[in-house]
Amino acid sequence: MTRDNLTIDGLKSEFNRLRRLWQQDWVGLPALARESACRLGHRNMAELDTENRAVHDCIVLVADAIEVDGKLRQQRDEEPAYHNRLHIADTLCSLTFLLLATRAGQGRALDDAPLDIEWLMLLAMVGHDFLHSGQINRVPGEIEARSVTALLPLMEECGVSDAGREIVSELILMTDPARVRPNHEAFRGKAFDLAEPTCRALLLQESDILASAMPDIGIALTHQLADEWSRFSEGMAGSLLSTRSRIKFLREFALFSSPASQWLGLHDMKAAEIDALELIAADTPI
């Protein structure tokens, strides 16, 4: 990937490619996870030290577990309409773009081999909704904690270090929507550095909602989330599908604070959509 591809149009093209695969020729989450690693500069296994090899192997193992589980649930018409394998692929694509944009902004070569922390962030992104129930948290961090609990034995099996498991676990817990705004506020005024937990969590949080913040793709994803929620609450599902709700999501939940998001123009994209939506009646269905 080149700097010329690190654009909103480049992101939209990738999201649309994933949707064509999902509908016609799904290649599987393990292949897409490997693709993200390759785009981040991973070339061959011989280059990896023991720890990064363990993380690489765990990424593939977790992606395969999600793929197997997703296929089984799909056959029973039980795979969540939003928190499914395509969502994981979207977030991997988003994180890849944000990590590359981070490199670009810092003057690093885009084809550098992944940093240790970038490998761990990929693992956290793959596993952040591991075995998601399709429901919402009844208490803060409920679903995220379940994902961590399910992921820990696989990290141990692959030989991910104690320190690596701790970083991945905390990153997943930080994807709880209740922790997003406080983390963005904690970052305000600070220099961006992936060595800092706040900064790496910021990229995962932005990746988690990036596709949903895209003007057209995001509307379709909102309908999918409403379909997912309709299984346990028609009222909550319906509450998502108005212009008012879309504006609230963009303002309060689709937060973009990282230098990488500014590089990609995500804040401006969001602001333009809000401006357009404010010309429409608040109760208009999206």
Side-chain angles (χ1 to χ4, degrees), residues 60-250:
V60 176
L61 181 63
V62 174
D64 186 62
I66 294 170
E67 186 68 28
V68 170
D69 174 71
K71 285 180 177 177
L72 288 173
R73 289 207 264 179
Q74 183 185 55
Q75 291 168 6
R76 301 193 299 262
D77 193 30
E78 294 176 356
E79 187 173 18
Y82 176 91
H83 289 99
N84 51 32
R85 289 165 287 157
L86 178 59
H87 169 65
I88 304 298
D90 280 343
T91 65
L92 282 171
C93 173
S94 300
L95 180 61
T96 300
F97 265 70
L98 288 170
L99 286 172
L100 290 173
T102 298
R103 294 181 186 183
Q106 295 174 343
R108 288 178 58 204
L110 298 190
D111 60 353
D112 279 355
L115 300 173
D116 295 354
I117 193 60
E118 290 174 330
W119 277 114
L120 291 169
M121 291 170 71
L122 278 179
L123 175 54
M125 198 83 266
V126 170
H128 83 284
D129 280 333
F130 190 27
L131 305 181
H132 198 288
S133 64
Q135 298 193 357
I136 62 173
N137 285 339
R138 294 168 297 182
V139 296
E142 178 184 15
I143 292 173
E144 293 76 19
R146 287 179 188 167
S147 295
V148 169
T149 298
L151 184 61
L152 280 170
L154 300 185
M155 290 196 286
E156 293 172 7
E157 177 184 335
C158 291
V160 178
S161 67
D162 290 347
R165 296 199 298 270
E166 182 176 351
I167 288 171
V168 169
S169 298
E170 180 58 23
L171 280 170
I172 292 174
L173 293 175
M174 288 297 289
T175 63
D176 175 6
R179 301 183 73 174
V180 173
R181 181 172 291 277
N183 193 58
H184 281 258
E185 292 173 350
F187 170 68
R188 191 174 298 143
K190 294 182 178 179
F192 188 88
D193 185 346
L194 287 178
E196 294 296 324
T198 298
C199 296
R200 53 191 183 239
L202 203 68
L203 290 195
L204 258 78
Q205 291 168 340
E206 292 178 348
S207 299
D208 199 13
I209 50 83
L210 203 165
S212 293
M214 299 289 284
D216 298 320
I217 292 167
I219 300 296
L221 286 170
T222 302
H223 280 268
Q224 288 171 223
L225 184 59
D227 182 37
E228 182 172 300
W229 286 6
S230 69
R231 297 197 175 200
F232 62 90
S233 175
E234 290 286 352
M236 289 182 63
S239 71
L240 297 173
L241 301 177
S242 69
T243 298
R244 179 190 292 108
S245 295
R246 176 69 178 171
I247 292 173
K248 181 177 180 180
F249 165 73
L250 291 171

Side-chain angles (χ1 to χ4, degrees), residues 1 4-21 35 39 86 90 93-94 97 210-211 214-217 269:
M1 186 175 290
D4 291 340
N5 301 120
L6 290 177
T7 64
I8 290 173
D9 285 343
L11 263 171
K12 184 175 181 179
S13 177
E14 285 300 307
F15 288 142
N16 284 332
R17 179 181 72 93
L18 290 173
R19 277 144 185 79
R20 289 192 298 272
L21 290 173
E35 180 181 280
R39 287 184 171 182
L86 178 59
D90 280 343
C93 173
S94 300
F97 265 70
L210 203 165
M214 299 289 284
D216 298 320
I217 292 167
M269 174 193 74

